[in-house]
Structures are given as C-alpha cells and as structure tokens.
Amino acid sequence: MNSEIANMIAKRLVIAVITLLIVSFAVFFATSMLPGDTATILLGQSATPEAVAGLRQAMHLDDPAILRFLRWGGGFITGDLGKSYANDMPITTLIGGRFVNTMELAGITALISIPFALTLGITSAVMRGSVYDRIVTVLTIGVISVPEFMVASTAVLLFAVYLKWLPAISFVNEVHSLSDLLRMYAMPVVTLTFVVSAQIIRMTRAAVIETLSTPYVEMALLKGASRSRIVLRHALPNALGPIVNALALSLSYLIGGVIIIETIFNYPGIAKLMVDAVATRDLPLIQTCAVIFCAGYLILITIADIIAIISNPRLR
Amino acid sequence: MTQSAPSTSAGFYGYSFSLVGVLAFAVILFWAVVALFAPHFAPYPVGKIVDMDYFGPMSAKLWLGSDYLGRDMLSRIIYGARYTLGIALAGVLIASSCGVILGMAAAVIGGWFDAALSRFMDAMISIPSKLFGLVVVAAVGSSLPSLILTLAFIYTPGSYRFARALAVNVNTMDFITVARIRGENTLYLAVSEILPNIIRPVLADFGIRFVFIVLLLSGLSFLGLGVQPPLADWGALVHENIQGLSFGSAAVIAPSIAIASLTISVNLLIDNLPRKIRDRSA
C-alpha cells in the first residue's frame, strides 16, 4: 500500500516539473518571439544599423530561440538571472528584498484568511440553508464578482476616508514602532484577506456539502451519530483532500490579488516590480517575475495534491 | 447543485424564470442598450472639458460629477460601456468558440491528439490569469485587437477543458457509436451529434467566462496596461481618477459600481437559469 502512495507522489512531482517546463517555455516565447526587436527598443529609433547589429551579437539575439531558452533556463537554475534592460542592474539584486516583502504580505494574509475562511466555509456548509449560510453565500458571491481594485478602494473609503483608522497609502519607509508596522500592513492584508477568503469559503462550502451528501454520512446519521461526530469524524477526513485543493486553487487568487493590491497601495513587492517592468517592457525582469509566480503557484498545487493523496483514507 | 425553491416565477416557452434572474437580465440588457446607443445617451461629448473644477461633485448639470480634468463622468461611463462590453464580448466569443471546437475535436479524435492537447491546456491553466495577461501585454502591447486576442487566448484553455469534459461524456453514447458505424466523418460527428447535446451548458459557461474576462480586462486597465487613453473602459476610468479616492469622489466609485452591476448581474442570471438549460445532463 505504501509503495502505491510513493508512486503516486512521484508521478505527481514529475507532472509538476513537466508543467513548469511548459509554462516557462510559454513565458519565454511569449516575451521574446513577438514583435519589436529588443536591440532596437534598447537603443531607440535613431540608432545606427551597425550599433543594433553589434548589440544583437553581444546579447546573442541572433541565436535560435531554443538555444536562448536553454541558456536562460540554465542561468535560472544556477542563480544567474541576467540583467534588467531598464537600469542594467542584476535581476537578483532587484528582486531580493522585494521577494521577501511579497512573501511577508502573502504569508500574513494566508495566516489570517485560511483559519477564518475554513471556519466560515465549513460552518455554512453544515448549517446549509440557514440565514447564516445565505448571508455568507451572498457576501462571497459579491466579493468574487467584483474586481479586486473595487474591494481595495471600498476598504480605503471605509477605513481611511470615512472612519480615518488607517492611512490610505500603505508604505512608510521608516518603521518606528509596532503601530507603524501594523498600519503598514493593515490595509493590504485586510483587502487581500477579503479577496482570498471569499474564494476559500465558496470552494470549502461546496466540498463539504458534497461529502455530506455521500451514502456513508447518511449511514452515520441512521446509526444515530451526533451531528458534530458526523461532521468531524465521518465527513471532514474525506473532505480534507478537496478542501486542501480548494485552498491551493484559492491561493492563485492571492497571486492575482497581490498584483492589484501592491499597485494600489504602492507596496514594494515583486508584483509591483513586475507591473512597472511591463510598463517599460523590461523583458528579462518580466520573465523572471512570471516564472517565480508560476513556480510558487505550482509548488502550492503540488503540495495540495500530495496532501490529498496522503490524507485519502482509502489509500491507507 | 442546490435545489433552490423558485420564488416568484414567470412562465416563458415552458421554462420558468425567477424574479432575480429577470432583474439580472434587465440590468444586462440596460448596459447592452447603453453601449449600442452611447452617442444618443451621453449628455456631453466624451473628451470635452465641461467643468471648471476637477473632481466636481454630483449636481443637476453633471449627474455623476466631473473627472480629474473636469470632463463629464456620466458621458465617460456611457462611452466606457462600449469598450468594456465590446472587448469582453469579442474576447469571450473567440475563447469559447476555439475552446469548444478544440474540445470536441479532442473528444472525437482521441488518442495522442487528445493527450497532447489536454496536457498543454492544463499547463496553460496553471498560469494565473492576471500574470498571463501582464506577460502577453508586455510582449504584444495593448492595442484593442491585441487586447481582445490576449483575453481570448488566456481563457481558451478553461473553455476547452469544460467543453472536452462534456463532449467526452456524449462521445460514449450509443447514438455516436451508431453514427460512427454509419461511416460519418469527424466533422459531422462533432457538429451534428455532439454540439447539440452540449450547447446549453456551454452557453452557461460562456456567461461565466464573460465575467472573468470583464474582471481581467478591468484589472489590466486599472493597472494602466489595458485600454489606453484617449479611449477608456470602466477599469481605465478608475485608473485615471484614482487620486479622487482619498476624498470619495464619484469619479472613482461610479465606474466601479458599473463593473460590479454588470458582473454580479451575469452571475445571478446564470445562477437563476432554469435547471433544464443550466445542467450538464440536460
């Protein structure tokens, strides 16, 4: 039995690696095969043809695309990410501190929203059809249906403009005290928590409802098990796989949300870096940021799949 | 599927529609009419500066106040409806038709074609849509045609996966086997045997995908990477007036509400479609 689990996990890891390869291939080709010659962009319209040709030579732009992809991929693995076009700094330096900032923002959000959303999702599924469930459902559909920037601007209007509890623009460079720290993170974290929680609640609720309608839950009900025992002993262990999957999928909304929220609150993370890079068409920087985000997302999905495999009672 | 009790329902061609569904449909129809006849509704020309003050308040003359240059906000939202609805509709039409055609082809042809295409589409789905949008916009820019194609490209894999799952189910039915034995070709199988059996859930999926595209388009425009000035969709209107947020100007709130009214209505309409239309087993 255990070798079966190991096999499934190994297979899942191989799929993850293949997917990452396809994705980075797609990112690389989308950004380097399409119109606009990089050398011309860098040197401007008035550059001499000789200068353009020289730069093309120096940047290996005339090599076949597959060779450039391999060189880029190789650099990625060895930690040499190349240089930014816009300011000629090594990308590793540009990303370093900002990566930590983004991970902090995402981490704090996950710490708050996962327990909060799981509780709401599971309780609303158990109390399905009640007034509480309806309120939760309407609120989540409301948050899911509107763009993230609307959630953010509503939060700013409410907390900063009308209630005046928090500053509208989040980032203060000097952090003097704990309250400064709280104020800096409060607004982005609150907004992101709303966006991510709505997704988790919706998916968790669906997963638990599906489990609660299975024959073995009905059997437990007929045996006369108490409501809490049915939910905690019979339904939840089986719903764990789908719930973890729902969590991982919802975290892709965390990525989408981070892009908007870092921009609106001027938060110095990699998402803001990437949006700025898109505005200046700084291709190496865009490629790197995109691959970091995709890899992060794939890692989360793979971990979720592995937890689902391990936690499946039928495989034990 | 939740078994919701129909509240107030009206009969129509043998289907019954709930009140919420009818209201949602009315809102969508309203925005469609506004987008089609924008020049007839807009009180002022879209680029004309009509207010001496910027971020002017709501008044009898300017119903939704003025924007950061003193242009009439109501007119800008009415014209913005054209870009938001038009681009999203064009994008979702391309995405859904590509997805359905490829999905049916994969189901009917099967074998390595199906395996390779599905593997590729699954990899594409694993790129978060907003990130994908940023990468493609960086590469091809944000002219209107390239925006439409970008949005279509990003949402084709999801539509493919949905259509393929439905088509694979239909493909195992007896009438398909009979048609195969009759010697019908792939095209006939897809268009005449499978398509009529999956079209209703595909249309519901079309609506959901329309919402995704509106949200992504607004998000890109909000980042300043979508529709470019002097044109402006609703997302771009929020982007250009974002300074007005700190004093609660209608120039920021009104376009946001326009987006929300559209996306929530489409979601509600689909949730309240009669089960006959919405369900896979229809």
Side-chain angles (χ1 to χ4, degrees):
Chain A
M1 262 323 195
N2 267 332
S3 71
E4 196 184 336
I5 293 181
N7 262 339
M8 286 174 80
I9 292 175
K11 204 173 150 193
R12 196 62 200 76
L13 288 176
V14 172
I15 290 180
V17 172
I18 293 174
T19 311
L20 186 59
L21 272 181
I22 299 179
V23 166
S24 48
F25 209 65
V27 166
F28 183 80
F29 278 88
T31 46
S32 63
M33 297 290 284
L34 290 155
D37 178 65
T38 316
T40 324
I41 296 171
L42 282 181
L43 294 173
Q45 293 295 333
S46 56
T48 60
E50 292 79 25
V52 172
L55 189 65
R56 289 184 69 87
Q57 182 88 51
M59 294 175 68
H60 305 286
L61 285 177
D62 292 321
D63 291 353
I66 186 80
L67 211 67
R68 283 186 285 137
F69 175 68
L70 289 178
R71 193 176 292 130
W72 177 67
F76 212 97
I77 292 166
T78 53
D80 170 24
L81 301 176
K83 279 184 175 177
S84 151
Y85 287 171
N87 51 15
D88 210 35
M89 292 209 335
I91 289 177
T92 337
T93 325
L94 280 175
I95 287 183
R98 284 169 170 261
F99 182 72
V100 178
N101 284 346
T102 298
M103 290 312 281
E104 274 172 10
L105 181 59
I108 297 175
T109 307
L111 273 183
I112 298 174
S113 58
I114 291 176
F116 168 72
L118 280 184
T119 314
L120 250 64
I122 294 171
T123 48
S124 69
V126 173
M127 291 191 252
R128 186 177 160 197
S130 66
V131 178
Y132 167 76
D133 175 41
R134 288 202 182 172
I135 293 173
V136 171
T137 309
V138 167
L139 285 181
T140 49
I141 289 182
V143 174
I144 287 167
S145 308
V146 302
E148 291 96 345
F149 63 77
M150 188 169 171
V151 180
S153 48
T154 313
V156 170
L157 275 182
L158 189 64
F159 295 120
V161 179
Y162 293 126
L163 297 175
K164 297 190 170 42
W165 288 352
L166 300 165
I169 301 302
S170 93
F171 206 69
V172 263
N173 276 318
E174 312 92 69
V175 177
H176 296 301
S177 63
L178 185 68
S179 73
D180 278 359
L181 196 74
L182 277 179
R183 285 171 148 251
M184 179 174 106
Y185 283 111
M187 209 60 131
V189 168
V190 164
T191 327
L192 264 180
T193 303
F194 268 112
V195 173
V196 177
S197 297
Q199 296 290 346
I200 302 179
I201 292 171
R202 201 177 60 122
M203 291 185 183
T204 314
R205 181 176 173 276
V208 174
I209 283 180
E210 194 161 305
T211 319
L212 283 178
S213 63
T214 51
Y216 59 79
V217 170
E218 201 176 344
M219 182 68 207
L221 190 72
L222 292 175
K223 276 196 315 195
S226 70
R227 204 182 163 102
S228 59
R229 189 179 161 82
I230 292 175
V231 173
L232 295 176
R233 283 286 301 159
H234 295 268
L236 273 189
N238 283 290
L240 194 61
I243 288 176
V244 174
N245 237 321
L247 280 181
L249 283 176
S250 312
L251 291 175
S252 85
Y253 291 89
L254 183 58
I255 292 174
V258 155
I259 293 176
I260 300 283
I261 269 83
E262 286 192 1
T263 311
I264 198 170
F265 294 114
N266 215 5
Y267 182 93
I270 31 176
K272 178 85 172 69
L273 185 69
M274 186 174 171
V275 172
D276 293 344
V278 172
T280 55
R281 295 189 61 144
D282 192 343
L283 296 180
L285 193 52
I286 297 168
Q287 287 165 349
T288 311
C289 292
V291 170
I292 289 177
F293 276 122
C294 290
Y297 178 54
L298 269 174
I299 290 171
L300 285 174
I301 293 278
T302 311
I303 292 175
D305 278 359
I306 291 174
I307 292 179
I309 292 171
I310 294 173
S311 72
N312 189 341
R314 266 158 291 185
L315 285 174
R316 248 179 243 148
Chain B
M1 282 296 154
T2 45
Q3 189 94 45
S4 58
S7 43
T8 319
S9 53
F12 185 71
Y13 281 118
Y15 296 124
S16 56
F17 293 92
S18 71
L19 186 65
V20 179
V22 174
L23 281 179
F25 180 73
V27 174
I28 298 165
L29 194 69
F30 167 75
W31 282 126
V33 170
V34 165
L36 274 177
F37 303 104
H40 298 277
F41 289 123
Y44 300 95
V46 68
K48 194 174 175 213
I49 295 175
V50 289
D51 194 0
M52 297 304 287
D53 200 8
Y54 55 93
F55 291 129
M58 292 193 257
S59 62
K61 190 165 148 268
L62 305 170
W63 286 6
L64 292 177
S66 58
D67 77 349
Y68 74 116
L69 290 177
R71 293 174 292 191
D72 175 40
M73 211 48 220
L74 180 62
S75 308
R76 291 188 66 75
I77 288 178
I78 289 173
Y79 274 92
R82 292 194 143 183
Y83 297 104
T84 297
L85 266 72
I87 294 172
L89 197 60
V92 73
L93 273 174
I94 300 174
S96 280
S97 23
C98 289
V100 169
I101 291 170
L102 289 173
M104 289 194 305
V108 175
I109 298 171
W112 64 267
F113 177 78
D114 182 23
L117 195 59
S118 296
R119 187 72 255 152
F120 175 74
M121 291 291 189
D122 279 352
M124 291 291 113
I125 289 175
S126 70
I127 305 178
S129 58
K130 206 158 274 126
L131 187 74
F132 206 164
L134 284 184
V135 170
V136 183
V137 163
V140 299
S142 28
S143 66
L144 292 187
S146 54
L147 265 181
I148 293 173
L149 288 179
T150 304
L151 293 166
F153 187 67
I154 293 173
Y155 283 105
T156 299
S159 167
Y160 164 85
R161 190 146 81 168
F162 186 78
R164 181 185 167 276
L166 292 169
V168 163
N169 276 342
V170 176
N171 200 32
T172 56
M173 302 267 185
D174 286 342
F175 58 84
I176 300 283
T177 318
V178 171
R180 275 189 206 278
I181 294 168
R182 270 204 319 266
E184 306 289 4
N185 61 22
T186 308
L187 186 68
Y188 175 87
L189 283 177
V191 175
S192 303
E193 302 284 356
I194 295 183
L195 188 60
N197 286 295
I198 63 170
I199 191 73
R200 286 183 290 186
V202 160
L203 285 180
D205 178 63
F206 180 89
I208 295 170
R209 223 154 283 285
F210 176 78
V211 172
F212 289 159
I213 291 190
V214 169
L215 292 181
L216 180 59
L217 173 68
S218 310
L220 284 176
S221 290
F222 172 76
L223 294 174
L225 304 169
V227 178
Q228 297 297 317
L231 309 180
D233 68 334
W234 290 338
L237 287 178
V238 179
H239 170 72
E240 36 179 56
N241 295 313
I242 195 69
Q243 281 87 15
L245 184 62
S246 49
F247 35 92
S249 162
V252 190
I253 301 165
S256 303
I257 291 177
I259 299 170
S261 72
L262 179 67
T263 50
I264 292 178
S265 298
V266 175
N267 271 341
L268 284 178
L269 178 65
I270 290 171
D271 277 355
N272 287 286
L273 280 179
R275 290 172 61 83
K276 266 190 198 167
I277 298 181
R278 192 183 51 196
D279 280 8
R280 287 167 177 235
S281 54

